[in-house]
Amino acid sequence: VPTTDTTVTVRVPAKVNLFLGCGLLRGDGFHDLTTVFHAVSLFDEVTVREDDELSVEVSGEGEGDVPLDETNLAVRAARLLGERLGIRPEVRISLHKGIPVAGGMAGGSADAAGALVALDALWGAGLTREALHAVAAELGSDVPFALHGGTALGLGRGDQLTSVLARGVYHWVFALAEGGLSTPAVYAELDAWRADADPRPVSSPDAVLGALRGGNAKALGAALDNDLQVAATRLRPALRRTLEAGRELGALGSVVSGSGPTCAFLVGSAADALTLAASLSAAGVCRAVRTAHGPVHGARIVATEI
Ligand code: ATP
């Protein structure tokens, strides 16, 4: 039985990988990654309140595609945090989605991070950032970055994070595709393709990091790079046309976001973002478009109602 009516709401950003270098498959089934994460202003909101039992409800963009059972990443986050703190996770979790589902922008990971921050506050646990990070890393490779936000270098499975120096604000257009792509399927396609083709030499994030240090959007556009892009476009050839259209329409650079199928386009200003978004829509090369800027903060409490 709930003892309080308190609700805590946390806002969590989507991510785009400015660079994603994928090493060979490891013995444990994971790939060693070198990635540069960048948090952008598409947000999910996670609200928690005490209840009789653990449950989740979802509203917003793509709500019908989000599972409401134990596989929901916010539910898994509540279970794991409860276990760690010795608290029964009898809470109602409300997710309001602004991050495209299964789009390669880590929406599920964002919800897990949001649930951790919200429940830490609701339960008055006062965990340190480091302690939350450790729980986050157990939930998934992208969850620690959703806590962290900003722009960060990720190593290992992507969960070993270091902040990177990034000057300025970057403006983005995201082209959302019909239907999602499964992250494991994209990695499997990359492994299959690499087994057949001569793998290209391992690339480095240096050009991306240099452009960020200098606040140089043009150089960043030219340096955007994602090893998963070849696999995502093999599974979804229509993405080639989308990427090409964005470049023809004047984007500074284009890249498939994470495992796709969302395509990210860097432009020079907020006004350019609106123009490119309208042109991509008119060209009919995607399901929907969104504009955003980055970097933005990681998971943060935006409201507490008692
Ligand atoms: P990533 O880039 O981290 O691989 P993604 O952005 O491609 O992920 P998500 O939006 O995280 O994709 O969703 C991937 C799958 O995870 C969905 O198809 C869905 O079934 C499942 N899922 C579990 N929990 C959630 C959640 N809270 N929000 C969205 N999807 C979730």
Side-chain angles (χ1 to χ4, degrees), residues 15 66-67 71-73 95 97 101-108 111 142 183:
K15 61 84 183 166
V66 176
T71 64
N72 189 294
L73 278 161
L95 304 176
K97 304 285 303 176
V101 175
M105 300 193 77
D111 297 342
D142 289 344
T183 303

Side-chain angles (χ1 to χ4, degrees), residues 19-108:
F19 176 88
L20 197 162
C22 182
L24 298 180
L25 188 61
R26 308 193 307 203
D28 62 2
F30 287 98
H31 295 79
D32 262 318
L33 300 184
T34 303
T35 188
V36 179
F37 290 112
H38 181 66
V40 296
S41 59
L42 299 179
F43 298 101
D44 278 4
E45 278 191 358
V46 182
T47 300
V48 296
R49 59 176 60 80
E50 286 192 11
D51 201 355
D52 296 331
E53 55 179 19
L54 178 57
S55 67
V56 63
E57 65 184 352
V58 184
S59 64
E61 165 140 13
E63 56 184 53
D65 298 325
V66 176
L68 299 176
D69 59 14
E70 291 291 322
T71 64
N72 189 294
L73 278 161
V75 170
R76 291 187 44 217
R79 288 239 180 264
L80 187 62
L81 187 66
E83 201 180 294
R84 288 301 134 83
L85 295 171
I87 294 173
R88 274 210 303 270
E90 293 168 338
V91 288
R92 177 88 171 146
I93 304 172
S94 308
L95 304 176
H96 187 72
K97 304 285 303 176
I99 306 176
V101 175
M105 300 193 77

Side-chain angles (χ1 to χ4, degrees), residues 213-234:
R213 267 197 305 276
N216 186 337
K218 203 166 164 209
L220 182 61
L224 296 171
D225 194 8
N226 178 1
D227 275 353
L228 295 178
Q229 181 160 317
V230 64
T233 54
R234 281 168 63 90

Side-chain angles (χ1 to χ4, degrees), residues 177-219:
E178 206 66 66
L181 273 177
S182 136
T183 303
V186 173
Y187 276 100
E189 179 66 22
L190 178 66
D191 293 332
W193 175 76
R194 281 177 165 176
D196 285 348
D198 262 345
R200 64 175 190 165
V202 175
S203 50
S204 116
D206 291 352
V208 162
L209 296 174
L212 289 167
R213 267 197 305 276
N216 186 337
K218 203 166 164 209

Side-chain angles (χ1 to χ4, degrees), residues 1-10 46-55 78 81-82 85 87-94 113-127 132 300-306:
V1 179
T3 53
T4 78
D5 293 330
T6 303
T7 68
V8 180
T9 300
V10 172
V46 182
T47 300
V48 296
R49 59 176 60 80
E50 286 192 11
D51 201 355
D52 296 331
E53 55 179 19
L54 178 57
S55 67
L81 187 66
L85 295 171
I87 294 173
R88 274 210 303 270
E90 293 168 338
V91 288
R92 177 88 171 146
I93 304 172
S94 308
L116 291 179
V117 171
L119 290 171
D120 175 67
L122 185 74
W123 293 335
L127 290 180
L132 279 178
R300 284 207 159 172
I301 295 175
V302 290
T304 306
E305 279 173 37
I306 298 172

